[in-house]
Amino acid sequence: MKDFHTKVFSGRPAAHGIGIGKVWTLRDESSAVHPEKIAESDIEKHIGKFEKARELVSSEYEKLKYIPEDEELEEIIDAQIQTLYDPEVTSSVKSKIEKDQFAVEYAIFSTFNDYIQLMENSGSAWAKDRTIDIVSVRDELIRATKEKKKGYAVKKGEIVFAEEISPTAMVYLSRINIAGIVMEKGGLTSHAVILSQSLGIPCVINVHWNRYNIYDGSDVIIDGTTGQVIINPTWKQKEQYKRRREDEQKRFEKALEWANKPDKTECGSQFTLRANIEFLEELPRLNTHGAKGIGLLRTETVLFDSEKFNVEQQVEFYGKVLEAAGQNSVTIRLFDAGGDKILDDSSFEDNPFLGWRGVRMLLDKRKLLRNQLEAIYRVSGHFSGKVKILIPMVSRIDEIRSVKEICTNVMKNLARQDIPFDENISIGVMVEVPSIALMSEFVAKYVDFFSIGTNDLTQYTLAVDRGNEKISHLFDSFHPAIWRLIKITKESADKHNIPVTVCGEMASKPEAAACLLGMGINDLSMNTGSIPAVKSVLCSHTYKEMKDLSDKILETEELDQVYELLEGWRALY
């Protein structure tokens, strides 16, 4: 019997907005693929089925790329197509058919599962978030070998419930104008979440809805700002959320009006809001949303998506980003990955978050680091004074010295070749490991700036793996300990007269941004979608109001006290 009782789930907010509609469940249609053997005479036939399936799926992906309103998805779809034609994947599938005489479906299933298992076992949040991409390509290929047609029965205005959603599925679903997405799995860095933010689809993740009887067609409300999901809401709840949705839309439209206004508080104090960027397709929002340059350029995706670490390819990428930034600076974070299967010589680590990543990996793979630095210095010759280098995952001062020595060698090599470059590029560190925050007074002597990464700083300070669902509720960047570490870092920066920025998720919360500004950190970087709301709050208050807030926050002992102060401040103003 259908249950009409109201159920409320609490998940993790992933993409802003309120969705009101009917439940539609995206079922996993992939069935178990058994290791069926084939006769030797059928080998050519199964090889042919594989190649035909690959062409069909590639053709479907190509069509997705050129939807005019979805142009920003081209890079992600290209990555899916590259996976289809990956030489190692092709070789493995054909070998399983030719030598092991497995049917094509199992050859595909087995090959992709090897990669999926490696990514899941890597322990890396980045790799885990992209496992769904590989699963998607696997299932599409198997579907194509069975000559099944692709399609979703979801209707416009419905809210999709899924275990996970692949990037290509997201594109299909967005074309249907769905009202929201609820996923059991997925992290904030997964492509599905990035795309939902980009496409303006409210999204909540880590909602364990699948263990309950959730029926298609049930009324549902999702709140992508708080992470709340309400099944069978009451009439009163529906009316409340409709009003909230209208109010939020009005607030966002009003906040956008601030984009081109001066970056000054109500009392005239200057601040700067920059963008965190990963894809070229995000660049047009720099101007529309009021970003003054890029405070964090992530380089992992462009590197992983390349067949090899190509200097010229990077120069082109960095050049496009710098062009888009105009007269504003771009802070390029060095390759921040490790423990990933994607690196050819990586191996399994029991705890990769505490393992071989960031600068630790880069100093072991010097050629990789030298190539990236060469690309950055080469492009700096055309954008003098605009490029900054950010070193990730630093925990020891000697790691900074080592990177700077390599920078010096790269510059000498370029000089010998008469290649122009900016010899005064600022070099800073991500303050994301507590040891660097606590020792920041000494670290400041070796760098030109600090950039505080609040996500990892929280993870390492609170000893909470933010990708572990069992304890992720303990992950909270507003913890008093984090505010104190930020204060220590700011005081050290002031003592040595170097700038400090915050580029973590914390800066995208308006009240937190106000508190950071009250602490004297007037350079913040965040996703472009958050800039208008943050700017409207900062412009609407005086520096004294924000300093009063930060002074009180820094006196708190417990997390609840922080939230009480932030909520009180929000209500007061």
Side-chain angles (χ1 to χ4, degrees):
M1 184 175 174
K2 195 169 180 180
D3 183 2
F4 291 101
H5 289 95
T6 299
K7 291 188 181 73
V8 180
F9 298 93
S10 290
R12 194 173 185 189
H16 177 79
I18 290 172
I20 302 174
K22 304 279 188 186
V23 172
W24 182 81
T25 309
L26 177 62
R27 304 286 179 193
D28 181 7
E29 296 181 353
S30 62
S31 54
V33 178
H34 302 291
E36 180 187 348
K37 290 279 190 174
I38 58 174
E40 188 173 352
S41 57
D42 287 334
I43 288 176
E44 286 303 317
K45 175 184 164 189
H46 281 252
I47 293 284
K49 284 176 74 174
F50 169 62
E51 292 176 342
K52 185 178 176 184
R54 196 168 55 174
E55 289 175 12
L56 176 63
V57 175
S58 175
S59 171
E60 290 173 349
Y61 284 164
E62 289 285 352
K63 289 175 185 172
L64 287 179
K65 279 172 55 178
Y66 299 113
I67 300 168
E69 63 268 31
D70 288 336
E71 285 179 359
E72 72 265 26
L73 303 174
E74 184 171 338
E75 188 174 338
I76 294 172
I77 302 299
D78 273 340
Q80 303 278 65
I81 294 172
Q82 284 175 15
T83 304
L84 281 173
Y85 289 95
D86 183 282
E88 290 187 18
V89 169
T90 300
S91 174
S92 175
V93 171
K94 289 186 175 180
S95 174
K96 288 175 190 288
I97 296 172
E98 291 171 337
K99 294 181 182 176
D100 302 331
Q101 291 186 225
F102 282 121
V104 62
E105 292 86 359
Y106 185 76
I108 294 169
F109 186 75
S110 173
T111 294
F112 278 81
N113 279 3
D114 290 342
Y115 288 97
I116 292 164
Q117 191 171 8
L118 278 168
M119 294 179 82
E120 288 181 338
N121 289 342
S122 75
S124 160
W126 195 97
K128 283 182 178 178
D129 285 350
R130 277 151 184 77
T131 301
I132 184 64
D133 301 8
I134 307 298
V135 171
S136 170
V137 175
R138 179 198 69 187
D139 292 347
E140 293 294 343
L141 272 175
I142 293 173
R143 173 188 60 80
T145 62
K146 296 176 180 176
E147 299 183 352
K148 286 186 179 177
K149 290 188 176 179
K150 189 179 186 70
Y152 298 104
V154 63
K155 297 172 188 164
K156 178 182 177 182
E158 290 184 323
I159 293 177
V160 176
F161 280 60
E163 185 177 359
E164 283 185 292
I165 298 178
S166 69
T168 48
M170 275 292 298
V171 179
Y172 281 116
L173 294 171
S174 68
R175 293 170 64 187
I176 304 169
N177 291 325
I178 57 173
I181 289 171
V182 178
M183 291 194 291
E184 285 219 22
K185 297 181 179 176
L188 293 175
T189 59
S190 67
H191 276 142
V193 169
I194 292 171
L195 287 176
S196 64
Q197 293 169 344
S198 170
L199 299 168
I201 301 172
C203 178
V204 180
I205 60 175
N206 304 148
V207 179
H208 302 293
W209 59 271
N210 211 9
R211 64 191 68 172
Y212 299 92
N213 292 324
I214 307 296
Y215 298 97
D216 282 4
S218 300
D219 289 338
V220 59
I221 295 171
I222 73 167
D223 188 337
T225 305
T226 65
Q228 194 166 59
V229 176
I230 306 173
I231 307 292
N232 297 323
T234 63
W235 177 86
K236 188 177 178 182
Q237 287 171 321
K238 283 185 187 175
E239 293 303 307
Q240 286 174 340
Y241 274 91
K242 281 179 184 173
R243 284 196 296 272
R244 273 195 54 197
R245 185 171 60 180
E246 290 171 4
D247 290 344
E248 285 197 358
Q249 184 59 31
K250 288 177 184 172
R251 277 200 298 274
F252 182 72
E253 288 171 1
K254 188 164 183 168
L256 267 182
E257 296 174 2
W258 291 93
N260 295 318
K261 293 186 178 179
D263 294 335
K264 291 181 179 178
T265 63
E266 192 177 37
C267 61
S269 296
Q270 193 79 32
F271 62 83
T272 303
L273 301 184
R274 306 183 196 275
N276 295 343
I277 293 289
E278 182 169 1
F279 303 108
L280 293 177
E281 290 74 15
E282 297 174 87
L283 297 175
R285 296 184 204 132
L286 294 177
N287 289 329
T288 58
H289 287 61
K292 297 295 184 292
I294 296 170
L296 176 66
L297 176 63
R298 301 184 180 96
T299 57
E300 294 79 39
T301 297
V302 69
L303 299 179
F304 284 152
D305 286 347
S306 303
E307 290 186 2
K308 54 187 178 181
F309 200 78
N310 186 305
V311 172
E312 286 72 25
Q313 210 168 22
Q314 290 179 81
V315 169
E316 182 182 354
F317 173 73
Y318 302 143
K320 288 179 180 176
V321 174
L322 282 153
E323 286 280 359
Q327 296 305 310
N328 299 302
S329 65
V330 174
T331 300
I332 302 174
R333 184 178 69 184
L334 297 178
F335 195 25
D336 185 16
D340 292 339
K341 161 257 174 189
I342 299 165
L343 298 172
D344 293 340
D345 56 353
S346 64
S347 56
F348 175 77
E349 295 180 278
D350 288 332
N351 195 340
F353 283 116
L354 300 178
W356 196 61
R357 56 168 294 201
V359 73
R360 301 170 183 179
M361 180 276 293
L362 290 170
L363 290 176
D364 284 344
K365 294 175 74 72
R366 301 265 172 143
K367 184 178 179 183
L368 189 74
L369 176 57
R370 280 197 300 271
N371 284 348
Q372 185 171 25
L373 289 172
E374 180 183 335
I376 293 171
Y377 275 97
R378 277 176 180 263
V379 82
S380 74
H382 305 286
F383 300 91
S384 185
K386 288 181 56 185
V387 179
K388 297 179 181 179
I389 292 174
L390 185 58
I391 311 173
M393 193 59 185
V394 173
S395 59
R396 299 153 52 117
I397 288 174
D398 63 282
E399 293 166 336
I400 302 168
R401 284 200 207 97
S402 297
V403 172
K404 293 179 82 169
E405 284 173 13
I406 296 172
C407 287
T408 301
N409 291 333
V410 167
M411 286 190 283
K412 286 179 180 175
N413 285 334
L414 292 175
R416 278 196 290 270
Q417 300 172 65
D418 289 328
I419 295 173
F421 61 88
D422 181 357
E423 60 183 16
N424 296 311
I425 290 182
S426 294
I427 298 177
V429 291
M430 288 284 288
V431 179
E432 53 190 342
V433 178
S435 64
I436 290 299
L438 293 169
M439 297 294 289
S440 53
E441 181 177 347
F442 302 96
V443 177
K445 292 186 287 186
Y446 298 90
V447 297
D448 299 309
F449 66 95
F450 287 144
S451 183
I452 302 174
T454 52
N455 294 346
D456 275 337
L457 185 61
T458 302
Q459 174 171 246
Y460 295 130
T461 302
L462 303 184
V464 176
D465 176 354
R466 57 190 165 119
N468 185 337
E469 293 179 11
K470 291 181 181 177
I471 55 170
S472 60
H473 64 284
L474 298 174
F475 180 91
D476 198 315
S477 296
F478 289 177
H479 191 286
I482 308 304
W483 292 106
R484 284 176 178 270
L485 287 174
I486 292 172
K487 181 173 183 284
I488 291 171
T489 305
K490 169 61 177 159
E491 289 174 345
S492 299
D494 288 346
K495 190 172 181 179
H496 291 272
N497 198 29
I498 64 171
V500 56
T501 67
V502 172
C503 64
E505 194 177 341
M506 177 190 272
S508 66
K509 313 293 183 191
E511 288 77 22
C515 190
L516 291 166
L517 187 53
M519 294 169 70
I521 301 175
N522 59 5
D523 195 331
L524 307 173
S525 191
M526 62 202 74
N527 67 73
T528 51
S530 297
I531 291 174
V534 169
K535 186 170 180 179
S536 68
V537 169
L538 300 186
C539 289
S540 304
H541 295 82
T542 65
Y543 174 73
K544 183 180 182 308
E545 290 169 351
M546 293 184 264
K547 186 172 187 313
D548 288 345
L549 173 65
S550 65
D551 287 345
K552 291 175 183 172
I553 293 281
L554 288 168
E555 292 297 320
T556 57
E557 298 177 357
E558 298 183 41
L559 188 56
D560 287 347
Q561 295 172 319
V562 175
Y563 277 103
E564 284 175 14
L565 284 169
L566 292 175
E567 287 171 11
W569 193 81
R570 188 185 303 128
L572 185 62
Y573 297 104

